[in-house]
Amino acid sequence: MLYPKIPLAQSIIEICKAKGVHDIIISPGSRNAPLTIGFTNHPDFRCYSIADERCAGFFALGIAQQKQKPVAVVCTSGSALLNYYPALAEAFYSQIPFVVISADRPHDKIDIGDGQTIRQENVFLNHSLYNANLLEEASEENDVFINEAINVAIAHKGPVHINVPFEEPLYQTTNKLAVDVNVTGLFKSESSVRVEDIIAFSTLWNYSQKILVLVGECRPNTIDQQWIDELASHPSVVVLTETTSNLHHPDFINNIDTLITPFTDKEFAELQPRVLITFGGMIVSKRIKAFLRKYKPRHHWHIDELRAFDTFGILTKHFTVAPNQFFKQFLPHVKVVPSYYKDFIQTVRAQRAIKHSEYLANIPFSDLKAFESILAALPGNTQLQVSNSSAIRYAQLFDIDPSIEVFCNRGTSGIDGSTSTAIGAAVASNKQTTLITGDIGFLYDSNALWNNYIPKHFKIILINNGGGGIFRILPGHQENETFHTYFETSHCLTAEHLAKMYRFDYLTAADETSLKTGLKQLFENNDQPAILEVFTPTRDNNKLLLDYFKALV
C-alpha cells in the first residue's frame, strides 16, 4: 500500500476510512498532494477528479444527496477553497452531510506575502456545523478534531470543514503507516414523541375541523404507506405536497399554486387551518407562504429530527423526531373529526383540473406548453433533477408519475450548481437521470460538463427562452434596456457547441411536433449523454403563464 509520508495526511485518510467517508472528490493542486496520493492509492476510496472547485462541490453534493452519507471534497490552498462555499451553503440548508478538507500553508506562512495563501481557518463559520483547524503535526488532539468533524456531519446532516496545514516536501511516499489513529464512535440517540405530547397534541387534533399538512422537500419513501393512507382518510385533513416532496396519494394536492392562486379572500378564509403541520425541506411556493403568513393558523407544528424554521411566524411546537416515527406514534391516538374541509378543497381541485386542461389545449407553444409535454414524457422509475428559478415553478403546476424521484437544490434556491448536482446524483443513483434546466442556470454551470464521470443515460432538457424568464413574471418587469441587460440577461446563445465539445448528443425543438420527436429520441438512446434544447418565445411566456392563473377561475 502506498501512503503519503506526512503523518497528518495519513491520520485524515485512516479516520475517513473508519468513518465510512468513501467518496472523495479531488480538485487538482499541489498543497493537497499528500491527501491526493493517500486517497487515490487506497482501495477503500472512490476518487473523482473535478478541476473546477465550485462544480466539484455540487458534484459531491449530488452524490451525498442520493447516498445520505458524507462525501469529502479536497482542494489545494488559497482561493480554491472559497469556491466550495455555494455547495456548502446548500448542504447546510438542505441538511446534507458534506466534508470539506482543505490543504493549507503552515501557520507561520499566513499573512506574510506567501503565494496562494489566504486566511482559511473558520472561513465557512456562518454555514459550517463544525470547523476543525488542525495543527501541523499528527496528534491525539488532531484526531479528536477530525473525528468530531465527521461525526457532526453524519449526526447533524450538514457541512463541516477540516483545514490541514502541510509543509513541503509534499510528494514523498512510504509503504508503512506512521500513525495509530484514535477513532471515536458516533452516538446518536433514538428519538420519539413524549407520551405527554401525544396526549396534549392529539387532543388539539381531535377538536380541530381544519388541519392542513404542508410537505416540503423529502426523500422518496420518507413516510410509510400506512400513514399516508391514514392522513388521506380524515375529512378534517388537507395535505398539500410539493413536487420535491416525493409523497403521493390520489387525495393529496400536488399543484398548490394552481389551487390557491385564484382564491378570493373568502376562499382563503375557508382554507385557513386551525392546525398547520409541516415536515420536509424548503417550500417552493411563494403563494402558500404568503397565505399562511396572512391567514395564520392557531397552531403550527414542525416535525424534524434536527431543526425547525419559523417560516410563517407562528411556530408553536417542534417535534424533534423523524416524520415517519411521529405519525407511527401519534396517529393511532387521534380520531376522525367530521368536517367539510377536505371536501371543500377537493371540489375546488376538480374545477381547477377542468380549467387547466381547457387552457393548455388552446395556447401556443411556450414554456408552459413545453413543460406539459416534457413532464408527461418522462420515463417511469427514473430520477428527475430540476434546476431553480422558473424550471421548478413550472414543474409544480403539473402531475408527475409517482414512480419518478424528484430533487432540486432548494436549500438556498440558487441556480449556480444544478447541473453539477444532477451529474453527481446520476453517478450515485445509477438510475436514468434527467435534468430540466433553464438557459441561464445551464450556462452559469456549464463547467459541470467538464467531467469524465457522466453516465451515458444522463439527459439534459434545456429550456432556452433567451434569458432569465422568471424576471418577466416578477413585479418590476419593464421592456427597457436596463431590464433586458441587468435582470433578464438577454442572450442569443445555444448549447450546440458545448454539446459537441463535451461529446453530448444534441437535439433541438421549437414547437410541439419537434418536441414530441425530440423527447422520443432523447429517451430511446442511452449510448451517450444527450441535451435536448427547447426554444420558446421570450416575449410570450410570462403573459401565457399569468393568463393561466386567471383562466383557472
Side-chain angles (χ1 to χ4, degrees):
M1 183 81 70
L2 192 67
Y3 298 99
K5 193 170 184 179
I6 296 176
L8 181 56
Q10 294 181 8
S11 296
I12 292 168
I13 291 157
E14 289 300 300
I15 294 173
C16 282
K17 179 184 74 172
K19 294 287 183 184
V21 183
H22 296 306
D23 289 288
I24 313 293
I25 288 74
I26 300 170
S27 292
S30 181
R31 189 61 50 171
N32 58 333
L35 295 169
T36 302
I37 290 168
F39 282 126
T40 57
N41 283 284
H42 200 298
D44 282 359
F45 297 103
R46 290 176 292 273
C47 296
Y48 305 86
S49 177
I50 306 288
D52 183 324
E53 284 86 5
R54 182 168 61 81
C55 293
F58 281 106
F59 178 83
L61 197 74
I63 295 176
Q65 174 201 84
Q66 294 300 304
K67 294 188 175 183
Q68 290 296 289
K69 293 180 179 179
V71 175
V73 289
V74 178
C75 71
T76 190
S77 63
S79 60
L81 174 62
L82 303 182
N83 290 294
Y84 288 145
Y85 213 138
L88 182 136
E90 178 64 33
F92 178 83
Y93 287 106
S94 287
Q95 296 182 290
I96 295 175
F98 184 77
V99 180
V100 173
I101 306 175
S102 57
D104 198 359
R105 294 292 203 273
H107 293 88
D108 60 1
K109 297 290 183 12
I110 308 300
D111 286 344
I112 65 166
D114 211 29
Q116 204 169 327
T117 306
I118 65 171
R119 300 175 185 178
Q120 293 184 196
E121 293 188 355
N122 303 317
V123 74
F124 303 125
L125 188 61
N126 283 340
H127 296 95
S128 178
L129 299 181
Y130 188 87
N131 297 281
N133 299 305
L134 305 187
L135 302 174
E136 193 175 333
E137 301 297 326
S139 64
E140 289 187 10
E141 182 182 13
N142 275 340
D143 286 356
V144 169
F145 290 148
I146 300 164
N147 274 281
E148 186 65 14
I150 299 173
N151 285 349
V152 168
I154 295 169
H156 296 278
K157 298 179 183 177
V160 297
H161 177 206
I162 303 172
N163 193 59
V164 194
F166 290 134
E167 183 57 280
E168 298 177 0
L170 302 169
Y171 293 88
Q172 292 182 327
T173 60
T174 179
N175 293 320
K176 293 183 179 181
L177 277 175
V179 297
D180 183 14
V181 297
N182 294 314
V183 179
T184 59
L186 175 66
F187 175 77
K188 189 175 182 183
S189 60
E190 290 294 322
S191 57
S192 63
V193 185
R194 298 184 306 170
V195 173
E196 53 266 40
D197 283 346
I198 290 175
I199 295 170
F201 289 90
S202 64
T203 301
L204 275 175
W205 174 296
N206 293 336
Y207 282 91
S208 300
Q209 293 184 321
K210 295 198 291 184
I211 298 170
L212 185 65
V213 180
L214 177 60
V215 189
E217 184 175 17
C218 293
R219 291 187 56 76
N221 305 312
T222 294
I223 307 296
D224 291 343
Q225 190 64 43
Q226 177 183 355
W227 311 122
I228 291 173
D229 294 340
E230 177 73 18
L231 286 170
S233 71
H234 286 255
S236 60
V237 177
V238 169
V239 181
L240 302 181
T241 65
E242 298 227 304
T243 299
T244 54
S245 72
N246 293 294
L247 196 67
H248 304 281
H249 189 279
D251 288 349
F252 290 177
I253 309 295
N254 60 340
N255 310 122
I256 298 174
D257 287 353
T258 298
L259 179 81
I260 71 170
T261 299
F263 267 2
T264 63
D265 289 341
K266 181 181 178 182
E267 288 169 318
F268 275 126
E270 288 289 312
L271 180 62
Q272 182 179 16
R274 185 170 189 263
V275 177
L276 170 68
I277 302 174
T278 58
F279 62 91
M282 302 294 190
I283 299 295
V284 175
S285 172
K286 294 176 68 175
R287 291 176 172 90
I288 196 65
K289 286 185 277 192
F291 159 67
L292 289 168
R293 287 165 182 163
K294 182 177 180 181
Y295 296 86
K296 293 183 182 293
R298 191 172 299 178
H299 307 278
H300 173 200
W301 313 341
H302 186 72
I303 309 164
D304 187 277
E305 291 175 285
L306 298 173
R307 59 187 172 189
F309 293 117
D310 191 7
T311 304
F312 314 109
I314 193 63
L315 184 69
T316 53
K317 177 64 178 178
H318 175 201
F319 288 97
T320 53
V321 64
N324 196 64
Q325 183 68 19
F326 171 83
F327 291 119
K328 180 180 178 180
Q329 292 182 250
F330 186 80
L331 287 179
H333 297 274
V334 304
K335 65 182 182 181
V336 174
V337 179
S339 173
Y340 68 92
Y341 193 47
K342 181 180 174 182
D343 284 346
F344 159 65
I345 292 301
Q346 292 297 340
T347 299
V348 176
R349 178 196 195 184
Q351 295 168 349
R352 296 280 193 265
I354 294 169
K355 296 292 186 181
H356 169 95
S357 298
E358 289 176 349
Y359 183 80
L360 268 293
N362 292 289
I363 62 170
F365 191 69
S366 58
D367 283 353
L368 190 61
K369 197 70 177 171
F371 270 87
E372 179 189 33
S373 298
I374 291 165
L375 295 174
L378 294 173
N381 298 302
T382 59
Q383 181 182 129
L384 173 63
Q385 294 274 337
V386 188
S387 75
N388 276 302
S389 204
S390 295
I392 186 61
R393 299 186 188 281
Y394 275 111
Q396 297 264 102
L397 304 178
F398 297 92
D399 294 335
I400 295 177
D401 184 332
S403 71
I404 297 172
E405 300 175 348
V406 184
F407 298 90
C408 178
N409 285 347
R410 288 306 298 177
T412 61
S413 306
I415 65 168
D416 38 5
S418 296
T419 309
S420 295
T421 302
I423 294 171
V427 168
S429 72
N430 293 318
K431 279 192 171 186
Q432 179 174 310
T433 299
T434 303
L435 167 69
I436 302 177
T437 183
D439 47 350
I440 301 301
F442 173 81
L443 293 168
Y444 197 106
D445 194 25
S446 60
N447 265 3
L449 306 185
W450 183 17
N451 182 312
N452 294 323
Y453 312 100
I454 300 174
K456 292 180 180 179
H457 53 64
F458 180 68
K459 316 292 184 184
I460 297 175
I461 299 176
L462 167 58
I463 311 296
N464 190 340
N465 52 29
I470 195 168
F471 291 102
R472 291 184 162 270
I473 302 165
L474 298 174
H477 166 223
Q478 296 180 26
E479 294 294 344
N480 56 40
E481 189 61 32
T482 296
F483 174 79
H484 296 313
T485 303
Y486 297 103
F487 291 94
E488 186 181 40
T489 54
S490 301
H491 67 87
C492 297
L493 303 173
T494 77
E496 181 179 4
H497 296 293
L498 282 170
K500 183 178 181 181
M501 181 166 68
Y502 292 116
R503 296 182 175 86
F504 274 65
D505 280 346
Y506 179 70
L507 307 164
T508 63
D511 54 38
E512 287 185 66
T513 302
S514 58
L515 178 56
K516 183 178 180 179
T517 302
L519 288 166
K520 188 172 185 294
Q521 292 175 332
L522 183 74
F523 293 122
E524 281 183 348
N525 181 12
N526 285 325
D527 294 332
Q528 195 168 341
I531 297 172
L532 170 59
E533 188 161 17
V534 184
F535 296 95
T536 64
T538 304
R539 301 295 176 94
D540 298 340
N541 287 314
N542 64 313
K543 184 178 186 306
L544 289 167
L545 181 62
L546 294 173
D547 286 348
Y548 166 77
F549 291 114
K550 295 175 185 176
L552 293 171
V553 179

